Amino acid sequence: MAHIGVIEELEKQGYEIASLAGTSMGALVGGVYAVGKIDELKNWLYSLDKRKTFSLIDFTFSKQGFVKGDKVFQKMKDFVPDINIEDLKIPYLAVASDILRKKEVVFTSGPLLDAIRASVAIPTVLTPVKTDSGLLVDGGVINNIPINHVKRVEGDIVIAVNVNADVPLYRPRISKKEKADKLSVYQKKLNEFYSHLYHISPKSNEENFGYFNIINKTLSLMTARVVQLMLENHAPDILINISRESCGTYDFFKAEELVEIGRHNAIKSLKDYQTGTS
């Protein structure tokens, strides 16, 4: 969600986005931007604490993930029309990981929504996407910042947004009442979600959820290392770091805060670049 704040600040400062490459949520936000629906997506994300957020979560007993994703991606059709990547007005690509063929998959053509769905299939959370010869999961397993694939044009500036950065957390000020109201609604929904998880594995609730957390923390650590190597080999002109401590996997209620975190860090990084202090 912080990607939205970054994009808004880039446009505000007069930058023209010439091409996009994204993984996971970056693939979703980039794709929605490419079809001109970023404002609609943001407004919907801001409303999540006022709706039955978890009505969009279709739990499954599959060992491949807790959430099928059918409901939320049906909703995504409001923001991602039936369009092929090659027909977008701006060059775009999304990255996924094929765990059967053990390779990176780069979507540069075909249905946009299908590419996004594959790219965001976080292992243990969203069920993977089956293809004729493979099984696709979140692109972050192999390449969370696909700088090496982005389409370049003469005289451009490469800007990378790292939302898994090991940097100090910046948190915008929110009134105590507003924060309490949002947390109250969110906590109720999160408790409902946990109860679903425990219902799935009633015989070993504590151990199962502990295992779930361990897997996610392991993936986060792995992703951070992959990102570090990518940035060392393909250094961007501007790097915008967002602290990995900004939110958890299910912190839907923090949308507004996360957009502002993205905006704040974009302002700082752009200023450093413009003044030559980066």
Side-chain angles (χ1 to χ4, degrees):
M1 298 180 192
H3 292 300
I4 297 174
V6 171
I7 288 174
E8 289 183 341
E9 187 58 34
L10 286 172
E11 290 194 323
K12 180 181 178 181
Q13 294 199 26
Y15 289 89
E16 177 187 352
I17 298 177
S19 62
L20 296 152
T23 297
S24 199
M25 193 63 173
L28 172 60
V29 173
V32 172
Y33 175 82
V35 297
K37 294 277 190 176
I38 198 75
D39 289 338
E40 290 89 335
L41 176 64
K42 184 178 77 168
N43 292 335
W44 177 68
L45 290 170
Y46 280 14
S47 74
L48 284 180
D49 63 321
K50 304 180 183 75
R51 302 181 182 185
K52 294 182 179 179
T53 305
F54 283 80
S55 66
L56 290 170
I57 306 299
D58 40 8
F59 293 95
T60 174
F61 289 91
S62 170
K63 294 180 180 179
Q64 296 179 337
F66 285 119
V67 181
K68 287 190 294 184
D70 294 347
K71 289 184 178 180
V72 71
F73 271 87
Q74 184 63 37
K75 178 63 181 177
M76 284 300 105
K77 291 181 180 180
D78 290 349
F79 316 111
V80 183
D82 184 13
I83 188 172
N84 285 341
I85 294 172
E86 61 268 31
D87 295 327
L88 295 171
K89 294 180 179 180
I90 182 173
Y92 166 90
L93 65 87
V95 175
S97 305
D98 190 330
I99 57 176
L100 291 185
R101 294 188 292 172
K102 301 179 179 63
K103 60 182 291 186
E104 180 182 34
V105 177
V106 181
F107 291 91
T108 57
S109 61
L112 175 60
L113 191 61
D114 289 354
I116 293 171
R117 174 62 180 88
S119 188
V120 303
I122 305 172
T124 75
V125 179
L126 280 173
T127 53
V129 174
K130 295 180 181 180
T131 66
D132 292 339
S133 59
L135 193 63
L136 306 183
V137 300
D138 194 303
V141 171
I142 294 178
N143 188 352
N144 206 42
I145 301 186
I147 304 173
N148 56 322
H149 295 302
V150 68
K151 183 175 181 180
R152 302 295 304 273
V153 296
E154 186 176 355
D156 66 8
I157 297 170
V158 176
I159 301 175
V161 185
N162 179 14
V163 294
N164 195 37
D166 185 17
V167 296
L169 172 63
Y170 162 80
R171 197 176 296 287
R173 291 185 178 181
I174 298 178
S175 71
K176 290 183 178 180
K177 183 180 185 304
E178 182 182 1
K179 187 174 183 179
D181 289 344
K182 288 188 175 185
L183 184 58
S184 176
V185 174
Y186 166 73
Q187 195 62 55
K188 179 181 177 182
K189 297 300 181 182
L190 189 59
N191 288 339
E192 292 175 10
F193 174 71
Y194 287 162
S195 71
H196 277 284
L197 289 184
Y198 296 149
H199 178 70
I200 290 172
S201 301
K203 293 182 180 180
S204 57
N205 294 339
E206 183 177 349
E207 293 82 356
N208 186 67
F209 197 71
Y211 175 77
F212 177 80
N213 274 332
I214 288 171
I215 290 295
N216 278 283
K217 289 183 181 297
T218 301
L219 287 171
S220 178
L221 178 61
M222 178 190 69
T223 299
R225 179 56 178 161
V226 170
V227 166
Q228 181 182 351
L229 292 172
M230 178 59 69
L231 292 175
E232 289 175 358
N233 291 315
H234 301 275
D237 297 296
I238 301 174
L239 176 61
I240 300 173
N241 282 317
I242 311 294
S243 173
R244 69 180 68 165
E245 304 300 326
S246 298
C247 67
T249 304
Y250 300 103
D251 285 350
F252 305 107
F253 78 105
K254 291 184 177 180
E256 190 170 355
E257 179 178 313
L258 289 167
V259 170
E260 291 309 313
I261 288 174
R263 190 190 320 280
H264 169 85
N265 286 283
I267 291 172
K268 181 180 182 303
S269 296
L270 290 171
K271 183 179 179 179
D272 289 344
Y273 175 75
Q274 292 159 1
T275 58
T277 58
S278 59

